[in-house]
Amino acid sequence: MNKLIIKHNELTAEEFILLWEAVHWGPGPSLEQTRLAMEHTLFRVSVFDEDQIVAMARVIGDMGLDYYIKDVIVRPEYQKKGIGRLLINEILQFINDHGVEGTEIFVELCAMPDKIPFYEKFGFSANEAQRLRLFHRVESGVIQEAN
């Protein structure tokens, strides 16, 4: 492992998909979807070993009350080397630098059970809320209202 390079807001859609597939999350999202996501992400941090991307994380949110950490990925061969900690510290620094001084900001993320101890080291904790999700298929036409 050479000297790692940290980049802010330069993560490309192609790099995102490459990392997504490197950790076996299944086929990556479409290039068009990912380009939109990168364009509308508040903050992206990526880590390179020379010219190879090895890790990334991003933040979405409203810049006032709520931030959501998404897609924290470290290539398997680079895990357990402090890179995940570096990513989260970079994100928390971004939130601190852009938050309203003297206020508390809600920072959320979703983690697999085996990753929870890692996030707890930063002060994250679970609550009684349950994560709900819906994979909405984008189609032409009118969306039917729920009953």
Side-chain angles (χ1 to χ4, degrees):
M1 184 168 72
N2 298 308
K3 184 176 182 200
L4 299 177
I5 301 163
I6 302 166
K7 296 182 181 182
H8 293 173
N9 298 318
E10 294 183 28
L11 179 68
T12 67
E14 293 83 0
E15 292 164 343
F16 179 97
I17 293 168
L18 188 70
L19 275 179
W20 178 290
E21 293 173 347
V23 293
H24 310 292
W25 282 359
S30 77
L31 191 56
E32 183 179 3
Q33 262 185 315
T34 308
R35 282 186 178 140
L36 277 170
M38 295 305 102
E39 184 179 317
H40 294 282
T41 295
L42 293 179
F43 179 68
R44 296 167 286 167
V45 58
S46 48
V47 178
F48 288 79
D49 187 351
E50 292 188 5
D51 61 351
Q52 178 188 10
I53 186 154
V54 299
M56 71 174 183
R58 64 190 190 102
V59 177
I60 57 177
D62 60 22
M63 296 291 290
L65 300 172
D66 196 32
Y67 290 87
Y68 197 92
I69 298 173
K70 292 281 298 165
D71 308 315
V72 178
I73 299 176
V74 179
R75 281 184 178 274
E77 63 270 26
Y78 286 84
Q79 292 176 5
K80 308 280 191 227
K81 298 180 187 299
I83 296 172
R85 177 176 304 281
L86 180 147
L87 292 170
I88 299 302
N89 283 333
E90 291 285 318
I91 287 172
L92 294 175
Q93 187 64 54
F94 170 84
I95 293 168
N96 191 71
D97 291 348
H98 293 86
V100 176
E101 190 172 338
T103 65
E104 291 187 348
I105 298 170
F106 203 57
V107 181
E108 298 177 278
L109 57 79
C110 181
M112 296 304 287
D114 65 320
K115 301 297 184 196
I116 290 173
F118 169 77
Y119 292 107
E120 287 175 335
K121 293 175 186 174
F122 294 92
F124 287 91
S125 61
N127 62 22
E128 65 282 354
Q130 294 293 307
R131 178 177 181 228
L132 304 177
R133 70 180 187 183
L134 164 70
F135 285 109
H136 175 77
R137 184 150 191 80
V138 178
E139 306 281 351
S140 62
V142 177
I143 300 297
Q144 300 296 316
E145 289 186 26
N147 292 331

